[in-house]
């Protein structure tokens, strides 16, 4: 059996649906908050060109209530290398597509 060149130490989860307005960002942000509350280092990857997760994250910081997880804005069609790099740094990677 051939061994993969990638070693994923943690799960990568994507919340995806081609339809807009079906609560992808809401679901992703709530999952991230839950993971952070149980002490999992978490990053949300906002891969949606609308950047809704990024706006949520930025707004929370601006009003003095920063969210307890990181956010990366990566609106690119191929997230593979970037997500794998994040997977080495965090317990949880959640992708809002």
């Amino acid at each position: 059996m051939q061994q993969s060149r990638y070693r994923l130490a943690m799960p990568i989860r994507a919340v995806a649906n081609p339809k807009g307005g079906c609560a992808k960002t809401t679901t992703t942000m709530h999952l991230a908050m839950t993971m952070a509350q149980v002490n999992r280092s978490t990053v949300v990857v906002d891969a949606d060109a609308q950047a809704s997760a990024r706006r949520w994250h930025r707004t929370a910081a601006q009003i003095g209530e920063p969210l307890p997880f990181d956010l990366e804005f990566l609106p690119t069609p191929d997230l593979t290398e970037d997500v794998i790099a994040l997977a080495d740094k965090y317990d949880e990677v959640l992708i809002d597509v």
Side-chain angles (χ1 to χ4, degrees):
M1 177 154 105
Q2 184 178 5
Q3 190 170 5
S4 172
R5 67 182 178 129
Y6 303 117
R7 184 190 72 70
L8 298 179
M10 46 56 64
I12 298 170
R13 296 178 173 89
V15 179
N17 192 317
K19 182 183 178 307
C22 61
K24 295 181 298 285
T25 300
T26 301
T27 301
T28 302
M29 299 302 269
H30 283 272
L31 284 170
M33 186 63 107
T34 300
M35 295 299 179
Q37 287 175 339
V38 295
N39 297 320
R40 304 281 295 167
S41 64
T42 303
V43 62
V44 169
V45 175
D46 189 346
D48 185 357
Q50 290 182 334
S52 298
R54 182 172 70 164
R55 281 197 309 271
W56 279 34
H57 201 265
R58 184 179 293 161
T59 299
Q62 288 172 343
I63 64 171
E65 296 182 19
L67 298 175
F69 53 85
D70 293 336
L71 184 129
E72 293 285 335
F73 182 57
L74 301 171
T76 176
D78 185 4
L79 300 170
T80 307
E81 294 299 323
D82 292 321
V83 169
I84 289 171
L86 290 170
D88 285 335
K89 298 177 188 175
Y90 294 92
D91 297 325
E92 304 286 341
V93 176
L94 302 172
I95 306 169
D96 180 21
V97 182

